Amino acid sequence: MISNTILELLHQYGYLIFYFAFSLGPFGIPIPNEITIISGAILSHTGVIHSWTTYFCILSGLLTAITLAYFAGKIFGPRLKHKFQHNKHFIKAELMLSKRGNWAMCIGLFIPLVRYVLPLVIGLSGISYRKFALVSYSSALLWTITYFTAGIYFGSPILSALTQWRNPH
């Protein structure tokens, strides 16, 4: 069970496991953010771990990841842009960003994988850090609160139903 794995990792690394799961997500950590945040919320709700510490580690990890991706786009922009200028996904992302701007930045955080690629594209596109931070950090706050709250209120019943379904004793 995923919660058991998270408990083992918590025992070894403490709450930083939530920070690292989110901040290293774009670099190949194979744990989906949605599962991690909901599991953290469930464990918080049951009193196994502290809610605010868990939430702060999740939010700060996500903010670190999207900020690093943004600055990677800014720093390596010309080189990356030249490399990807003919890639259809990159062209589509740039077009969506130019047409939809703030909405693309906001909604992109709710889509797995896109939440880590979009800040890179935003950095490449020359959008100012101030605008990026205002829209993306607000969206990250909204995304993490939504999933953490969903995990608290809906996670335990879903988890117990899944456990009963897998083990029908």
Side-chain angles (χ1 to χ4, degrees):
M1 182 186 305
I2 293 170
S3 294
N4 290 339
T5 304
I6 290 175
L7 283 173
E8 290 172 22
L9 291 170
L10 272 167
H11 182 70
Q12 286 183 318
Y13 304 106
Y15 288 94
L16 287 178
I17 193 61
F18 290 108
Y19 175 81
F20 289 130
F22 277 82
S23 64
L24 298 176
F27 306 106
I29 300 298
I31 303 169
N33 292 149
E34 292 78 7
I35 292 172
T36 305
I37 195 168
I38 289 172
S39 296
I42 292 169
L43 292 170
S44 296
H45 183 67
T46 58
V48 175
I49 57 178
H50 189 264
S51 297
W52 288 108
T53 305
T54 304
Y55 178 78
F56 176 75
C57 289
I58 288 168
L59 178 61
S60 59
L62 181 59
L63 294 177
T64 299
I66 64 176
T67 302
L68 288 174
Y70 170 82
F71 281 113
K74 278 283 200 199
I75 293 167
F76 303 111
R79 203 171 339 155
L80 287 173
K81 201 166 195 169
H82 178 71
K83 185 176 182 175
F84 293 115
Q85 69 186 1
H86 300 295
N87 180 293
K88 68 179 183 179
H89 300 294
F90 179 75
I91 293 168
K92 190 184 276 188
E94 267 196 327
L95 183 64
M96 183 186 296
L97 189 59
S98 68
K99 280 185 170 182
R100 305 278 185 249
N102 294 350
W103 284 108
M105 286 192 276
C106 180
I107 293 172
L109 277 174
F110 284 84
I111 304 169
L113 298 177
V114 173
R115 81 177 53 97
Y116 293 122
V117 174
L118 190 61
L120 180 72
V121 174
I122 293 168
L124 284 168
S125 70
I127 291 175
S128 72
Y129 174 73
R130 184 178 182 156
K131 182 176 181 179
F132 162 77
L134 178 65
V135 175
S136 296
Y137 294 177
S138 303
S139 301
L141 183 66
L142 178 64
W143 182 82
T144 54
I145 287 172
T146 301
Y147 273 86
F148 202 79
T149 302
I152 288 172
Y153 291 106
F154 303 115
S156 294
I158 291 170
L159 189 61
S160 63
L162 285 173
T163 304
Q164 287 179 351
W165 178 71
R166 291 179 81 191
N167 302 321
H169 303 76

